[in-house]
Amino acid sequence: MGRILSIDYGQKRVGFAVTDELQICAHALETIRVSKAFDYLVNYIAKENVETIVVGEPKTMNNTNSDAARFIEPFVNRLKKELQNIKIERFDERFTSKMAFQTLIDAGVNKKTRTNKALIDKISATIILQGYLQSIKK
Protein backbone atom coordinates (compact mmCIF):
# COMPACT_ATOMS: atom_id res chain seq x y z
CA MET A 1 0.00 0.00 0.00
CA GLY A 2 1.38 3.41 -0.93
CA ARG A 3 1.19 6.69 0.89
CA ILE A 4 -1.39 9.38 0.26
CA LEU A 5 0.05 12.87 -0.05
CA SER A 6 -2.00 16.05 0.26
CA ILE A 7 -1.36 19.53 -1.02
CA ASP A 8 -2.62 22.88 0.22
CA TYR A 9 -1.73 25.03 -2.78
CA GLY A 10 -1.52 28.79 -2.24
CA GLN A 11 -0.37 31.74 -4.30
CA LYS A 12 2.99 31.94 -2.49
CA ARG A 13 3.45 28.67 -0.62
CA VAL A 14 2.40 25.04 -0.87
CA GLY A 15 1.81 22.94 2.24
CA PHE A 16 2.39 19.19 2.05
CA ALA A 17 1.21 16.37 4.33
CA VAL A 18 1.44 12.61 3.97
CA THR A 19 0.09 9.40 5.47
CA ASP A 20 2.06 6.52 6.83
CA GLU A 21 2.37 3.48 4.53
CA LEU A 22 -0.77 1.91 6.00
CA GLN A 23 -2.75 5.10 5.30
CA ILE A 24 -3.86 5.36 8.92
CA CYS A 25 -2.66 8.76 10.05
CA ALA A 26 -1.64 12.03 8.45
CA HIS A 27 1.31 14.20 9.38
CA ALA A 28 2.70 17.47 8.07
CA LEU A 29 5.71 17.40 5.77
CA GLU A 30 6.89 20.78 4.51
CA THR A 31 5.86 24.13 3.21
CA ILE A 32 7.60 25.02 -0.06
CA ARG A 33 7.52 28.10 -2.28
CA VAL A 34 5.19 27.67 -5.25
CA SER A 35 8.05 27.88 -7.75
CA LYS A 36 9.73 24.82 -6.17
CA ALA A 37 6.64 22.79 -5.28
CA PHE A 38 6.52 20.52 -8.32
CA ASP A 39 10.22 19.64 -8.05
CA TYR A 40 9.81 18.93 -4.33
CA LEU A 41 6.88 16.64 -5.11
CA VAL A 42 8.76 14.73 -7.84
CA ASN A 43 11.77 14.25 -5.52
CA TYR A 44 9.54 13.03 -2.70
CA ILE A 45 7.75 10.56 -4.98
CA ALA A 46 11.12 9.25 -6.19
CA LYS A 47 11.99 8.32 -2.58
CA GLU A 48 8.59 7.22 -1.26
CA ASN A 49 5.79 5.06 -2.62
CA VAL A 50 2.93 7.52 -3.20
CA GLU A 51 -0.23 6.09 -4.73
CA THR A 52 -2.56 9.09 -4.41
CA ILE A 53 -2.16 12.87 -4.35
CA VAL A 54 -5.02 14.87 -2.84
CA VAL A 55 -5.12 18.53 -3.82
CA GLY A 56 -7.22 20.95 -1.81
CA GLU A 57 -10.11 22.37 -3.81
CA PRO A 58 -11.07 25.91 -2.77
CA LYS A 59 -14.84 26.33 -2.71
CA THR A 60 -17.14 29.17 -1.76
CA MET A 61 -20.04 28.79 0.64
CA ASN A 62 -22.41 28.12 -2.29
CA ASN A 63 -20.15 25.24 -3.44
CA THR A 64 -18.67 26.96 -6.49
CA ASN A 65 -14.95 27.33 -7.15
CA SER A 66 -13.38 30.28 -5.36
CA ASP A 67 -11.09 32.81 -7.06
CA ALA A 68 -8.08 30.84 -5.82
CA ALA A 69 -9.02 27.93 -8.11
CA ARG A 70 -7.47 29.68 -11.10
CA PHE A 71 -4.03 29.44 -9.45
CA ILE A 72 -4.42 25.78 -8.59
CA GLU A 73 -5.82 24.36 -11.85
CA PRO A 74 -2.59 24.70 -13.90
CA PHE A 75 -0.72 22.86 -11.15
CA VAL A 76 -3.33 20.07 -11.02
CA ASN A 77 -3.26 19.76 -14.81
CA ARG A 78 0.52 19.41 -14.71
CA LEU A 79 0.24 16.71 -12.05
CA LYS A 80 -2.23 14.76 -14.17
CA LYS A 81 -0.05 15.09 -17.27
CA GLU A 82 3.34 14.29 -15.74
CA LEU A 83 2.42 11.87 -12.96
CA GLN A 84 0.05 9.59 -14.85
CA ASN A 85 0.75 6.55 -12.67
CA ILE A 86 -0.49 8.34 -9.53
CA LYS A 87 -4.16 8.92 -8.78
CA ILE A 88 -4.95 12.65 -8.42
CA GLU A 89 -7.95 13.52 -6.24
CA ARG A 90 -9.52 16.82 -5.25
CA PHE A 91 -10.92 17.49 -1.77
CA ASP A 92 -12.84 20.45 -0.39
CA GLU A 93 -10.50 22.70 1.58
CA ARG A 94 -13.04 25.18 2.96
CA PHE A 95 -12.07 26.51 6.39
CA THR A 96 -8.82 24.53 6.63
CA SER A 97 -6.70 27.64 7.25
CA LYS A 98 -9.06 28.77 10.00
CA MET A 99 -9.06 25.27 11.48
CA ALA A 100 -5.25 25.18 11.36
CA PHE A 101 -5.03 28.53 13.14
CA GLN A 102 -7.51 27.35 15.79
CA THR A 103 -5.48 24.17 16.25
CA LEU A 104 -2.45 26.28 17.11
CA ILE A 105 -4.47 28.31 19.60
CA ASP A 106 -5.88 25.16 21.19
CA ALA A 107 -2.37 23.73 21.45
CA GLY A 108 -1.24 26.81 23.38
CA VAL A 109 1.16 28.00 20.68
CA ASN A 110 2.31 31.56 21.29
CA LYS A 111 1.01 34.45 19.20
CA LYS A 112 4.28 35.01 17.32
CA THR A 113 4.44 31.38 16.16
CA ARG A 114 0.77 31.48 15.10
CA THR A 115 1.65 34.19 12.56
CA ASN A 116 3.96 31.76 10.74
CA LYS A 117 1.99 31.22 7.53
CA ALA A 118 4.22 28.34 6.42
CA LEU A 119 3.19 26.47 9.57
CA ILE A 120 -0.49 27.19 8.86
CA ASP A 121 -0.08 25.86 5.29
CA LYS A 122 1.33 22.48 6.30
CA ILE A 123 -1.24 22.09 9.07
CA SER A 124 -3.95 22.91 6.50
CA ALA A 125 -2.55 20.18 4.22
CA THR A 126 -2.76 17.79 7.16
CA ILE A 127 -6.39 18.75 7.82
CA ILE A 128 -7.21 18.22 4.12
CA LEU A 129 -5.60 14.78 4.29
CA GLN A 130 -7.39 13.81 7.51
CA GLY A 131 -10.71 14.81 5.93
CA TYR A 132 -9.92 12.80 2.83
CA LEU A 133 -8.98 9.73 4.89
CA GLN A 134 -12.26 9.97 6.80
CA SER A 135 -14.22 10.26 3.56
CA ILE A 136 -12.70 7.14 1.98
CA LYS A 137 -13.17 5.05 5.12
CA LYS A 138 -16.95 5.64 5.14
mmCIF file of all heavy atoms in Angstrom, residues 97-98 100-121 123:
data_model
loop_
_atom_site.group_PDB
_atom_site.id
_atom_site.type_symbol
_atom_site.label_atom_id
_atom_site.label_comp_id
_atom_site.label_asym_id
_atom_site.label_seq_id
_atom_site.Cartn_x
_atom_site.Cartn_y
_atom_site.Cartn_z
ATOM 1 N N SER A 97 -7.637 26.674 6.657
ATOM 2 C CA SER A 97 -6.700 27.635 7.245
ATOM 3 C C SER A 97 -7.198 28.114 8.604
ATOM 4 O O SER A 97 -6.415 28.241 9.550
ATOM 5 C CB SER A 97 -6.488 28.830 6.313
ATOM 6 O OG SER A 97 -5.825 28.414 5.147
ATOM 7 N N LYS A 98 -8.490 28.360 8.712
ATOM 8 C CA LYS A 98 -9.056 28.772 10.001
ATOM 9 C C LYS A 98 -8.942 27.648 11.021
ATOM 10 O O LYS A 98 -8.648 27.884 12.193
ATOM 11 C CB LYS A 98 -10.514 29.202 9.833
ATOM 12 C CG LYS A 98 -10.655 30.506 9.089
ATOM 13 C CD LYS A 98 -12.095 30.917 8.939
ATOM 14 C CE LYS A 98 -12.146 32.200 8.111
ATOM 15 N NZ LYS A 98 -13.488 32.681 7.904
ATOM 16 N N ALA A 100 -6.666 25.304 11.022
ATOM 17 C CA ALA A 100 -5.247 25.182 11.356
ATOM 18 C C ALA A 100 -4.857 26.230 12.392
ATOM 19 O O ALA A 100 -4.155 25.930 13.366
ATOM 20 C CB ALA A 100 -4.390 25.328 10.097
ATOM 21 N N PHE A 101 -5.321 27.454 12.197
ATOM 22 C CA PHE A 101 -5.031 28.530 13.142
ATOM 23 C C PHE A 101 -5.623 28.201 14.512
ATOM 24 O O PHE A 101 -4.963 28.357 15.544
ATOM 25 C CB PHE A 101 -5.580 29.859 12.605
ATOM 26 C CG PHE A 101 -5.167 31.054 13.408
ATOM 27 C CD1 PHE A 101 -3.893 31.572 13.319
ATOM 28 C CD2 PHE A 101 -6.072 31.653 14.271
ATOM 29 C CE1 PHE A 101 -3.515 32.670 14.065
ATOM 30 C CE2 PHE A 101 -5.702 32.759 15.027
ATOM 31 C CZ PHE A 101 -4.424 33.260 14.921
ATOM 32 N N GLN A 102 -6.859 27.711 14.523
ATOM 33 C CA GLN A 102 -7.510 27.352 15.788
ATOM 34 C C GLN A 102 -6.780 26.203 16.473
ATOM 35 O O GLN A 102 -6.668 26.164 17.696
ATOM 36 C CB GLN A 102 -8.977 26.998 15.560
ATOM 37 C CG GLN A 102 -9.760 26.786 16.843
ATOM 38 C CD GLN A 102 -9.793 28.032 17.725
ATOM 39 O OE1 GLN A 102 -10.101 29.116 17.258
ATOM 40 N NE2 GLN A 102 -9.466 27.857 18.994
ATOM 41 N N THR A 103 -6.260 25.279 15.693
ATOM 42 C CA THR A 103 -5.482 24.170 16.253
ATOM 43 C C THR A 103 -4.273 24.690 17.011
ATOM 44 O O THR A 103 -3.950 24.205 18.101
ATOM 45 C CB THR A 103 -5.038 23.205 15.129
ATOM 46 O OG1 THR A 103 -6.202 22.678 14.498
ATOM 47 C CG2 THR A 103 -4.177 22.074 15.650
ATOM 48 N N LEU A 104 -3.609 25.685 16.434
ATOM 49 C CA LEU A 104 -2.446 26.275 17.106
ATOM 50 C C LEU A 104 -2.848 26.958 18.404
ATOM 51 O O LEU A 104 -2.151 26.850 19.414
ATOM 52 C CB LEU A 104 -1.737 27.256 16.168
ATOM 53 C CG LEU A 104 -1.061 26.627 14.957
ATOM 54 C CD1 LEU A 104 -0.526 27.708 14.030
ATOM 55 C CD2 LEU A 104 0.050 25.693 15.383
ATOM 56 N N ILE A 105 -3.972 27.661 18.385
ATOM 57 C CA ILE A 105 -4.465 28.315 19.604
ATOM 58 C C ILE A 105 -4.774 27.262 20.667
ATOM 59 O O ILE A 105 -4.351 27.377 21.822
ATOM 60 C CB ILE A 105 -5.717 29.169 19.302
ATOM 61 C CG1 ILE A 105 -5.329 30.383 18.458
ATOM 62 C CG2 ILE A 105 -6.406 29.603 20.600
ATOM 63 C CD1 ILE A 105 -6.514 31.171 17.927
ATOM 64 N N ASP A 106 -5.506 26.222 20.255
ATOM 65 C CA ASP A 106 -5.883 25.159 21.191
ATOM 66 C C ASP A 106 -4.666 24.443 21.771
ATOM 67 O O ASP A 106 -4.709 23.953 22.898
ATOM 68 C CB ASP A 106 -6.799 24.137 20.505
ATOM 69 C CG ASP A 106 -8.148 24.723 20.125
ATOM 70 O OD1 ASP A 106 -8.505 25.827 20.607
ATOM 71 O OD2 ASP A 106 -8.853 24.076 19.309
ATOM 72 N N ALA A 107 -3.596 24.387 20.993
ATOM 73 C CA ALA A 107 -2.367 23.731 21.452
ATOM 74 C C ALA A 107 -1.522 24.637 22.349
ATOM 75 O O ALA A 107 -0.483 24.220 22.849
ATOM 76 C CB ALA A 107 -1.548 23.270 20.254
ATOM 77 N N GLY A 108 -1.962 25.883 22.522
ATOM 78 C CA GLY A 108 -1.237 26.809 23.383
ATOM 79 C C GLY A 108 -0.013 27.426 22.726
ATOM 80 O O GLY A 108 0.884 27.912 23.418
ATOM 81 N N VAL A 109 0.022 27.425 21.402
ATOM 82 C CA VAL A 109 1.159 28.001 20.677
ATOM 83 C C VAL A 109 1.115 29.517 20.819
ATOM 84 O O VAL A 109 0.048 30.130 20.721
ATOM 85 C CB VAL A 109 1.106 27.577 19.189
ATOM 86 C CG1 VAL A 109 2.167 28.267 18.382
ATOM 87 C CG2 VAL A 109 1.228 26.067 19.078
ATOM 88 N N ASN A 110 2.277 30.116 21.053
ATOM 89 C CA ASN A 110 2.308 31.555 21.291
ATOM 90 C C ASN A 110 1.925 32.352 20.040
ATOM 91 O O ASN A 110 1.961 31.849 18.923
ATOM 92 C CB ASN A 110 3.667 32.008 21.838
ATOM 93 C CG ASN A 110 4.795 31.861 20.831
ATOM 94 O OD1 ASN A 110 4.652 32.204 19.669
ATOM 95 N ND2 ASN A 110 5.928 31.353 21.292
ATOM 96 N N LYS A 111 1.550 33.603 20.264
ATOM 97 C CA LYS A 111 1.013 34.451 19.201
ATOM 98 C C LYS A 111 2.006 34.642 18.049
ATOM 99 O O LYS A 111 1.631 34.622 16.877
ATOM 100 C CB LYS A 111 0.603 35.799 19.784
ATOM 101 C CG LYS A 111 -0.198 36.645 18.852
ATOM 102 C CD LYS A 111 -0.711 37.886 19.565
ATOM 103 C CE LYS A 111 -1.621 38.671 18.650
ATOM 104 N NZ LYS A 111 -2.198 39.829 19.324
ATOM 105 N N LYS A 112 3.273 34.801 18.365
ATOM 106 C CA LYS A 112 4.280 35.013 17.320
ATOM 107 C C LYS A 112 4.369 33.790 16.392
ATOM 108 O O LYS A 112 4.423 33.932 15.175
ATOM 109 C CB LYS A 112 5.642 35.299 17.938
ATOM 110 C CG LYS A 112 6.709 35.596 16.915
ATOM 111 C CD LYS A 112 8.037 35.919 17.546
ATOM 112 C CE LYS A 112 9.041 36.205 16.451
ATOM 113 N NZ LYS A 112 10.380 36.385 16.968
ATOM 114 N N THR A 113 4.364 32.606 16.959
ATOM 115 C CA THR A 113 4.440 31.382 16.156
ATOM 116 C C THR A 113 3.186 31.208 15.309
ATOM 117 O O THR A 113 3.250 30.725 14.180
ATOM 118 C CB THR A 113 4.666 30.159 17.067
ATOM 119 O OG1 THR A 113 5.853 30.363 17.827
ATOM 120 C CG2 THR A 113 4.791 28.881 16.258
ATOM 121 N N ARG A 114 2.030 31.620 15.851
ATOM 122 C CA ARG A 114 0.773 31.476 15.104
ATOM 123 C C ARG A 114 0.734 32.349 13.859
ATOM 124 O O ARG A 114 -0.069 32.105 12.960
ATOM 125 C CB ARG A 114 -0.421 31.828 16.002
ATOM 126 C CG ARG A 114 -0.668 30.811 17.072
ATOM 127 C CD ARG A 114 -2.008 30.997 17.745
ATOM 128 N NE ARG A 114 -2.312 32.331 18.182
ATOM 129 C CZ ARG A 114 -2.323 32.753 19.438
ATOM 130 N NH1 ARG A 114 -2.022 31.916 20.411
ATOM 131 N NH2 ARG A 114 -2.639 33.991 19.738
ATOM 132 N N THR A 115 1.601 33.347 13.759
ATOM 133 C CA THR A 115 1.645 34.195 12.560
ATOM 134 C C THR A 115 2.507 33.583 11.456
ATOM 135 O O THR A 115 2.591 34.134 10.368
ATOM 136 C CB THR A 115 2.172 35.611 12.891
ATOM 137 O OG1 THR A 115 3.509 35.507 13.384
ATOM 138 C CG2 THR A 115 1.283 36.316 13.900
ATOM 139 N N ASN A 116 3.127 32.446 11.715
ATOM 140 C CA ASN A 116 3.959 31.758 10.737
ATOM 141 C C ASN A 116 3.052 31.087 9.702
ATOM 142 O O ASN A 116 2.491 30.014 9.945
ATOM 143 C CB ASN A 116 4.837 30.732 11.453
ATOM 144 C CG ASN A 116 5.732 29.967 10.519
ATOM 145 O OD1 ASN A 116 5.563 29.984 9.299
ATOM 146 N ND2 ASN A 116 6.693 29.268 11.085
ATOM 147 N N LYS A 117 2.912 31.719 8.549
ATOM 148 C CA LYS A 117 1.988 31.220 7.528
ATOM 149 C C LYS A 117 2.438 29.888 6.941
ATOM 150 O O LYS A 117 1.612 29.078 6.525
ATOM 151 C CB LYS A 117 1.784 32.267 6.447
ATOM 152 C CG LYS A 117 1.035 33.468 6.989
ATOM 153 C CD LYS A 117 0.747 34.488 5.941
ATOM 154 C CE LYS A 117 0.001 35.645 6.596
ATOM 155 N NZ LYS A 117 -0.371 36.658 5.639
ATOM 156 N N ALA A 118 3.723 29.637 6.915
ATOM 157 C CA ALA A 118 4.216 28.343 6.420
ATOM 158 C C ALA A 118 3.734 27.215 7.325
ATOM 159 O O ALA A 118 3.376 26.133 6.845
ATOM 160 C CB ALA A 118 5.741 28.356 6.339
ATOM 161 N N LEU A 119 3.695 27.464 8.627
ATOM 162 C CA LEU A 119 3.189 26.473 9.574
ATOM 163 C C LEU A 119 1.695 26.233 9.345
ATOM 164 O O LEU A 119 1.241 25.082 9.318
ATOM 165 C CB LEU A 119 3.451 26.943 11.008
ATOM 166 C CG LEU A 119 2.981 26.032 12.135
ATOM 167 C CD1 LEU A 119 3.627 24.656 12.034
ATOM 168 C CD2 LEU A 119 3.300 26.681 13.474
ATOM 169 N N ILE A 120 0.946 27.299 9.137
ATOM 170 C CA ILE A 120 -0.489 27.193 8.862
ATOM 171 C C ILE A 120 -0.720 26.360 7.596
ATOM 172 O O ILE A 120 -1.608 25.501 7.553
ATOM 173 C CB ILE A 120 -1.134 28.588 8.684
ATOM 174 C CG1 ILE A 120 -1.011 29.422 9.963
ATOM 175 C CG2 ILE A 120 -2.574 28.491 8.214
ATOM 176 C CD1 ILE A 120 -1.893 29.009 11.092
ATOM 177 N N ASP A 121 0.095 26.569 6.561
ATOM 178 C CA ASP A 121 -0.080 25.858 5.292
ATOM 179 C C ASP A 121 0.116 24.351 5.440
ATOM 180 O O ASP A 121 -0.648 23.560 4.881
ATOM 181 C CB ASP A 121 0.876 26.401 4.224
ATOM 182 C CG ASP A 121 0.529 27.810 3.791
ATOM 183 O OD1 ASP A 121 -0.624 28.228 3.992
ATOM 184 O OD2 ASP A 121 1.420 28.498 3.265
ATOM 185 N N ILE A 123 -0.165 22.616 8.236
ATOM 186 C CA ILE A 123 -1.245 22.090 9.074
ATOM 187 C C ILE A 123 -2.527 21.990 8.252
ATOM 188 O O ILE A 123 -3.277 21.017 8.370
ATOM 189 C CB ILE A 123 -1.447 22.960 10.331
ATOM 190 C CG1 ILE A 123 -0.221 22.835 11.246
ATOM 191 C CG2 ILE A 123 -2.721 22.556 11.079
ATOM 192 C CD1 ILE A 123 -0.226 23.784 12.420
#
